[in-house]
Amino acid sequence: MMKRNHFRGLNRAMLIGFVGLLQQQMAVAAPREFSSLQTRGVEWPTFEAIWEVITLQQYNTRLVVTSTLILGLASGLVGCFLLLRKRSLMGDALSHACLPGIGIAFILGVTLFGEGKSLAVLLIGATVSGLVGVGSVLLIRNTSRIKDDAAMGIVLSVFFGAGVAILGMVQSMPGASAAGLEYFIFGKTASMVFRDFLLLSGVAVVALICSILLMKELTILCFDEGFARSQGWPVSVLDILMLILVAAVTVVGLQAVGLILIIAFLITPAAAARFWTNDLRVMLLLSAVIGGVSGWLGAGISALLPRLPAGAVIVLMAALIFFVSMIFGSARGVLRRSLSMRRLRAKIGRQHLLRAVFEIQERTWRDESLRPINVPISYQELLHHRTWSARQVKRLVRRGVHEDHIEATDGQTLRLSESGFGEAYRITRNHRLWEIFLFTHADIAASHVDRDADSVEHILSAEMVRELESKLNMASMPESPHEIARLKKEMV
Amino acid sequence: MSDFHNKMAPASDRPAVEEDHSPDAPLSIHDLTVAYHRKPVLWDIDLDIPEGKLVGIVGPNGAGKSTLIKACLNLIPTASGKVQVYGKPYGKQRSLVGYVPQRESVDWDFPVSAVDVVAMGLYRKLGWFRPVRKKHKEVAREALERVGIGHLADRQISQLSGGQQQRVFLARALAQDATLYFMDEPFAAVDAATERAIVTLLQDLKGKGKTTLVVHHDLATVAQYFDWVILLNMRVVAAGPTEEVFTQENLRKAYGGKLSLLAEAGHALTQADRG
Ligand SMILES: Nc1ncnc2c1ncn2[C@@H]1O[C@H](COP(=O)(O)OP(=O)(O)OP(=O)(O)O)[C@@H](O)[C@H]1O
Ligand SMILES: [Mg+2]
């Protein structure tokens, strides 16, 4: 981990110097047509401008936003598998390794065709060098004793460094305008011709379809590689397929998101989706949606505010969704966890209180040989019945009164309400049946016990409940509510 | 090849199996040697496992028990030798083989439910690209019922106890519907009830004529559970029917001078005699 951060720090330093240099060189040549809205020359977009972007009225915005949305869907899907295979850093190495390919493809384009900025050629270069980078990681790992993370750190830095050097050289190539290449680093909603749109969306859609088709295979690869291999799945082929999918998404995202940030666009939606579900299918779907939404919003916002690099905005959108998911996520979100913990505590507290009251009443019935009637009990008795503090008791009683289970007649005594009496009887009976079950069936109990269940009948068979009931020692309960009402009147 | 070995090795060091391999043994291992990083871990393993037996693989830590299983399943490269399942290479007989890996070998925080994991046992039969359907899930549920945790089918696997996770792995192997099973320490860290359930299951498999190889650590129960034993310590110390092979003498050879283990083994033997 330390090593990795170290390498990344290095990258950032190189990058800042490099970008500064590029900016100086291209201050004059800075193309104006990169955003459809920049020409208006306004800092903050007007309402109409916002509306235009949201509704995708401008042709160029439409292309850019749509392609980013499709990219987001694909990266959300593919990113899930990358995350579950624990290969995030591999994705990072892959994207950084794309840079030299871009430079070399540009040089080749210029020398062969006289024009280097064909997107297809640049992206093919990026793909090749990205995959060469991944290949180098595997080679280093398999031929030496160097560990995965170090191998990836080395490849990531060396390839990125080489890319920066090559791009630096390209800037000074005579007769070639290399302006715009630096956008591959940070991403930019550039203007887009229809051909490019088809290329990017086409690749993204293919990646999307492939990862849906390979869902089962990639799942078993990510979960249990050894078992997959024993079944005869070609694990290395599957791994390579997964990396090719990652490469496809990376390359498609180079222009909009940039190679530094693409890894965040792959991993963040998947990590966010994980907070909402424990089901892989749902996670895949959600992650794709989150990726798509952040791509759409990010590209839209960046079209409105051309000063903001698209990649950064897209990733910030994804991060925003991530944080919201982390807090509110319905499966593992922070709030959900603490809420369900609190709810459970409240439930247990209520059960303890009602059972305590019932047991104290039961004692009174026995001692004074009364029929089971709802006798008032004192706070003092309650306080001594369990190890709980006066404050706890007070709070529980207050809640009991609020839930209409307890009637606190004065400050000294309390008794159960009509519904509270029924509830207390039920809870006590349930509790005792469980105790008997655990005691008499200890051998099979552990895997069956869910004492949180509202009643034993939901878990155990009717036969078992009857057997337990035969052992149950409990004052019989007046069945009808009228009976209780009558008893109550008698009591007064 | 076999003759060569017979001449080279002292008789007492040879495994207690016949040298001519029967062509339709569920598993026959021919002179298998496995090495990690040029350090041999298993030497010249030569075995025929008879059909329908419940076989215990026993030996000290690092003896190469897991390695033997992995080598049989083609999970790791072998330095020499070959493994045959019903007379054919493993690669051709995969559908006949089920596998229960060590429980620690996977990340149980993975976002799948118990029934999803069990359904993985059917993936091979499904083949490429074909998705898991309802009827496959039904098969998976039945397998979970058989190991006694049908009611936990839809629970996410991280919310299962260790013993329940072990049962999920067993159910997955059952779903594979194999005739030869490899199980790596299915009894590791399970309570008495789960252990009994697993033993019942193993007996059940045996009753159906299936052959099962189980890595086992508890010497006290070896004689009780298994009708065949492989004593392993980088080589086969002894292999054969339990009553012939599971002796003090052989255990000393397998476990060497590890005194506490020997005491344990002695205890096991007296228990076995009584039982
Ligand atoms: N991936 C590996 N790389 C290098 N050496 C290994 C590897 N796996 C196992 N070994 C070595 O091979 C030997 C046998 O290991 P193996 O896991 O087969 O033992 P085992 O009998 O299963 O032990 P245990 O009872 O502890 O599970 C050990 O000495 C171990 O150090
Ligand atoms: Mg082992």
Side-chain angles (χ1 to χ4, degrees):
Chain A
M1 216 51 215
M2 284 302 292
K3 262 184 200 139
R4 188 205 159 180
N5 288 338
H6 175 71
F7 283 122
R8 297 298 303 267
L10 210 68
N11 279 342
R12 298 285 183 265
M14 289 189 325
L15 187 71
I16 289 163
F18 167 64
V19 170
L21 195 80
L22 282 184
Q23 273 168 353
Q24 275 173 18
Q25 290 196 353
M26 287 182 298
V28 193
R32 295 200 134 252
E33 71 281 3
F34 267 105
S35 162
S36 52
L37 289 162
Q38 197 174 33
T39 40
R40 290 172 185 226
V42 281
E43 261 298 317
W44 290 102
T46 62
F47 179 74
E48 290 130 66
I50 294 174
W51 186 245
E52 265 181 22
V53 166
I54 289 175
T55 53
L56 304 179
Q57 278 174 15
Q58 285 200 7
Y59 178 70
N60 189 53
T61 323
R62 192 151 64 219
L63 291 188
V64 171
V65 173
T66 313
S67 74
T68 320
L69 190 149
I70 297 173
L71 163 72
L73 292 174
S75 81
L77 260 189
V78 174
C80 272
F81 292 115
L82 195 62
L83 183 77
L84 292 173
R85 186 85 176 113
K86 304 191 170 68
R87 287 276 163 87
S88 310
L89 193 52
M90 190 66 120
D92 207 16
L94 195 158
S95 60
H96 279 74
C98 287
L99 194 57
I102 296 170
I104 292 170
F106 180 80
I107 295 173
L108 283 178
V110 169
T111 46
L112 294 179
F113 316 116
E115 162 55 47
K117 278 208 278 185
S118 151
L119 188 61
V121 174
L122 291 178
L123 294 192
I124 289 170
T127 314
V128 170
S129 80
L131 290 177
V132 168
V134 169
S136 323
V137 173
L138 297 178
L139 198 72
I140 293 175
R141 188 184 62 183
N142 293 345
T143 54
S144 69
R145 285 280 183 105
I146 293 173
K147 293 274 173 297
D148 255 22
D149 60 337
M152 287 187 257
I154 292 167
V155 166
L156 190 149
S157 312
V158 169
F159 273 70
F160 190 73
V164 169
I166 294 172
L167 250 58
M169 275 157 51
V170 166
Q171 301 298 331
S172 52
M173 251 173 90
S177 158
L181 285 192
E182 82 284 2
Y183 290 144
F184 284 115
I185 295 173
F186 277 143
K188 172 99 189 160
T189 31
S191 63
M192 202 182 242
V193 293
F194 192 64
R195 213 184 45 227
D196 291 349
F197 169 78
L198 277 188
L199 174 71
L200 295 184
S201 313
V203 174
V205 165
V206 169
L208 201 72
I209 292 172
C210 286
S211 37
I212 291 171
L213 278 178
L214 285 169
M215 196 169 121
K216 169 170 113 275
E217 289 75 10
L218 292 178
T219 306
I220 198 170
L221 172 76
C222 294
F223 177 63
D224 195 344
E225 183 190 329
F227 185 74
R229 209 189 286 267
S230 85
Q231 275 201 330
W233 294 105
V235 165
S236 6
V237 173
L238 285 173
D239 255 334
I240 290 170
L241 280 177
M242 190 184 80
L243 284 174
I244 288 176
L245 289 176
V246 173
V249 170
T250 304
V251 163
V252 172
L254 278 183
Q255 205 177 35
V257 185
L259 57 84
I260 300 264
L261 295 176
I262 188 74
I263 188 66
F265 198 29
L266 276 160
I267 297 303
T268 318
R274 187 72 183 85
F275 285 113
W276 295 95
T277 179
N278 281 324
D279 185 330
L280 182 62
R281 279 151 299 220
V282 181
M283 177 177 165
L284 288 168
L285 192 74
L286 256 182
S287 172
V289 170
I290 293 172
V293 167
S294 13
W296 173 57
L297 284 178
I301 291 173
S302 147
L304 286 166
L305 303 167
R307 295 269 164 84
L308 296 181
V313 183
I314 290 171
V315 167
L316 284 176
M317 284 300 126
L320 188 70
I321 298 176
F322 173 83
F323 281 118
V324 170
S325 308
M326 193 170 95
I327 294 169
F328 297 103
S330 57
R332 330 176 111 204
V334 177
L335 214 59
R336 147 82 206 232
R337 280 190 187 188
S338 66
L339 257 184
S340 62
M341 193 41 118
R342 271 183 58 174
R343 219 173 285 147
L344 187 63
R345 267 202 212 119
K347 186 174 172 183
I348 290 173
R350 192 187 63 202
Q351 290 184 351
H352 281 169
L353 177 72
L354 292 181
R355 190 153 58 82
V357 174
F358 190 89
E359 280 169 355
I360 294 167
Q361 291 187 336
E362 219 175 21
R363 213 164 46 213
T364 320
W365 303 334
R366 205 175 38 243
D367 292 350
E368 305 176 15
S369 45
L370 288 172
R371 278 188 303 149
I373 51 173
N374 190 359
V375 287
I377 63 165
S378 72
Y379 267 99
Q380 217 50 42
E381 278 176 296
L382 196 56
L383 197 56
H384 292 310
H385 194 74
R386 288 186 77 89
T387 45
W388 47 22
S389 68
R391 247 184 62 214
Q392 258 175 314
V393 172
K394 234 180 228 152
R395 209 182 50 227
L396 287 173
V397 168
R398 208 171 331 125
R399 205 181 296 133
V401 170
H402 182 74
E403 287 170 344
D404 203 20
H405 285 146
I406 302 277
E407 288 169 356
T409 36
D410 47 56
Q412 301 303 310
T413 60
L414 57 95
R415 69 174 183 210
L416 296 164
S417 73
E418 199 170 307
S419 66
F421 194 63
E423 184 72 3
Y425 177 83
R426 203 183 59 75
I427 286 171
T428 311
R429 172 179 172 275
N430 218 18
H431 177 84
R432 289 185 190 166
L433 287 178
W434 272 128
E435 299 273 273
I436 297 170
F437 178 69
L438 286 176
F439 197 72
T440 53
H441 294 81
D443 49 341
I444 48 165
S447 60
H448 274 81
V449 170
D450 184 2
R451 296 183 59 164
D452 190 35
D454 273 334
S455 99
V456 279
E457 282 87 355
H458 293 172
I459 307 281
L460 302 178
S461 66
E463 197 181 336
M464 176 67 81
V465 172
R466 261 197 303 284
E467 186 197 319
L468 295 177
E469 267 179 332
S470 71
K471 299 190 177 113
L472 182 66
N473 168 29
M474 193 159 170
S476 64
M477 165 86 165
E479 282 299 327
S480 94
H482 305 293
E483 182 78 352
I484 300 176
R486 198 175 55 76
L487 288 172
K488 253 186 179 172
K489 272 202 206 91
E490 268 176 29
M491 233 173 55
V492 175
Chain B
M1 186 69 182
S2 306
D3 281 342
F4 174 71
H5 274 299
N6 274 342
K7 276 182 210 128
M8 291 303 290
S12 66
D13 272 350
R14 297 302 304 151
V17 288
E18 281 125 25
E19 286 299 316
D20 49 330
H21 292 273
S22 84
D24 40 43
L27 179 71
S28 53
I29 303 172
H30 304 250
D31 296 320
L32 181 74
T33 298
V34 184
Y36 290 112
H37 302 300
R38 282 178 235 101
K39 187 191 98 179
V41 173
L42 288 176
W43 276 107
D44 296 333
I45 307 294
D46 207 87
L47 281 172
D48 264 353
I49 308 292
E51 177 121 43
K53 293 277 190 271
L54 191 46
V55 182
I57 304 177
V58 181
N61 288 135
K65 303 180 294 294
S66 301
T67 305
L68 178 63
I69 285 191
K70 287 181 184 158
C72 289
L73 293 167
N74 274 358
L75 299 184
I76 46 172
T78 58
S80 75
K82 65 177 176 180
V83 176
Q84 288 189 312
V85 175
Y86 289 103
K88 294 205 187 105
Y90 172 71
K92 293 202 171 134
Q93 305 278 52
R94 282 202 168 97
S95 59
L96 300 177
V97 177
Y99 175 38
V100 178
Q102 263 177 292
R103 178 152 51 85
E104 303 79 43
S105 64
V106 304
D107 172 14
W108 288 92
D109 204 25
F110 204 79
V112 286
S113 62
V115 65
D116 291 330
V117 172
V118 177
M120 287 178 189
L122 302 166
Y123 279 14
R124 187 67 226 172
K125 253 176 235 152
L126 278 164
W128 285 88
F129 308 124
R130 241 175 267 135
V132 177
R133 296 196 188 287
K134 219 182 199 129
K135 60 176 182 208
H136 306 119
K137 291 231 167 159
E138 283 313 313
V139 175
R141 269 173 212 282
E142 270 164 40
L144 279 169
E145 288 292 346
R146 274 181 72 191
V147 298
I149 52 168
H151 59 293
L152 299 174
D154 295 306
R155 201 177 280 189
Q156 203 248 325
I157 50 173
S158 69
Q159 294 160 11
L160 298 171
S161 76
Q164 290 164 346
Q165 292 173 343
Q166 191 66 60
R167 289 183 196 219
V168 170
F169 264 4
L170 282 164
R172 181 174 69 176
L174 289 182
Q176 288 185 286
D177 195 23
T179 53
L180 171 64
Y181 284 101
F182 293 89
M183 305 190 179
D184 202 345
E185 303 201 26
F187 295 110
V190 300
D191 68 4
T194 306
E195 178 152 343
R196 224 173 310 140
I198 297 175
V199 169
T200 313
L201 187 80
L202 293 179
Q203 296 291 350
D204 191 36
L205 288 175
K206 191 177 118 184
K208 289 184 177 147
K210 316 215 162 183
T211 311
T212 312
L213 280 83
V214 181
V215 173
H216 193 57
H217 263 302
D218 182 11
L219 293 175
T221 49
V222 168
Q224 188 189 338
Y225 293 167
F226 301 106
D227 33 32
W228 234 74
V229 173
I230 301 171
L231 275 168
L232 201 69
N233 195 351
M234 299 185 74
R235 66 199 172 96
V236 175
V237 173
T242 311
E243 60 273 18
E244 289 172 24
V245 164
F246 196 63
T247 61
Q248 190 90 31
E249 168 70 12
N250 281 335
L251 280 171
R252 185 174 296 114
K253 273 194 220 154
Y255 284 86
K258 292 168 193 164
L259 285 175
S260 62
L261 278 163
L262 270 182
E264 193 185 319
H267 176 66
L269 284 172
T270 47
Q271 278 209 333
D273 287 345
R274 260 187 262 132

